[in-house]
Amino acid sequence: MPYAPLLRTPSGPRRRSLLASAAGAALLVGCSADPDSGGHSTSVTDQARARAARDSRGLLQHYDAVLAAHPRLAQRLRPLRAQVAAHVRAFADGTGPTPARSSAAPSAAPATVAIPSSEKEALAGLATSERTLADWRAKDLLDVPGELARLLASVAAAGAAHAYLLAEGAK
């Protein structure tokens, strides 16, 4: 009697678990105190928002550099790039001049990032930038009040999803 073929189970998190994680993070942040409470000064909030906008602009430049070096990736990267551009706009609303990042970590995607000649390595580099920035944002959201924390959580979840999609594309 022949055995039925085994179905290949994909490795890594499933789309459903990524969405559940993002929703959980948003709910967790949504249950925080009043947006104006917690003793956060406006300057701390403004600095965090400006830093997030600057980091998103750096990531957007990284996408642009990969697209310029590897135009064949355009169909795959344009939707992700468009979301990063929306993140730049969301963080830039209401910010003044961009202050220097207060933590010791550099920006996730510096403007002078070197783009590998291999499409696979370029995708892996973008995935690393997305993952690193998502991790920073997940940590930063603990230090800011309500609405900005919710925005950081949402963008961090999107960045984690982008990192997963880019890493899968690099395989």
Side-chain angles (χ1 to χ4, degrees), residues 7-135:
L7 295 175
R8 182 181 172 272
T9 305
S11 64
R14 299 210 191 315
R15 188 178 335 173
R16 196 173 287 157
S17 63
L18 283 172
L19 292 174
S21 297
L27 283 175
L28 187 62
V29 172
C31 294
S32 67
D34 182 47
D36 295 327
S37 68
H40 294 289
S41 72
T42 304
S43 64
V44 169
T45 302
D46 290 345
Q47 288 177 1
R49 182 180 287 275
R51 182 173 54 247
R54 190 194 72 233
D55 289 347
S56 289
R57 281 191 300 273
L59 184 59
L60 190 61
Q61 290 173 345
H62 192 165
Y63 270 93
D64 289 343
V66 170
L67 284 167
H70 301 288
R72 291 181 356 165
L73 294 175
Q75 186 175 0
R76 179 181 296 168
L77 295 182
R78 278 196 186 127
L80 302 178
R81 185 203 178 277
Q83 288 183 350
V84 172
H87 300 160
V88 170
R89 288 188 302 275
F91 286 124
D93 288 346
T95 60
T98 305
R101 184 172 186 94
S102 61
S103 71
S107 287
T112 58
V113 66
I115 304 302
S117 59
S118 159
E119 289 180 357
K120 207 174 210 183
E121 291 175 8
L123 288 173
L126 265 175
T128 299
S129 292
E130 284 273 17
R131 191 175 307 106
T132 301
L133 191 51
D135 290 346

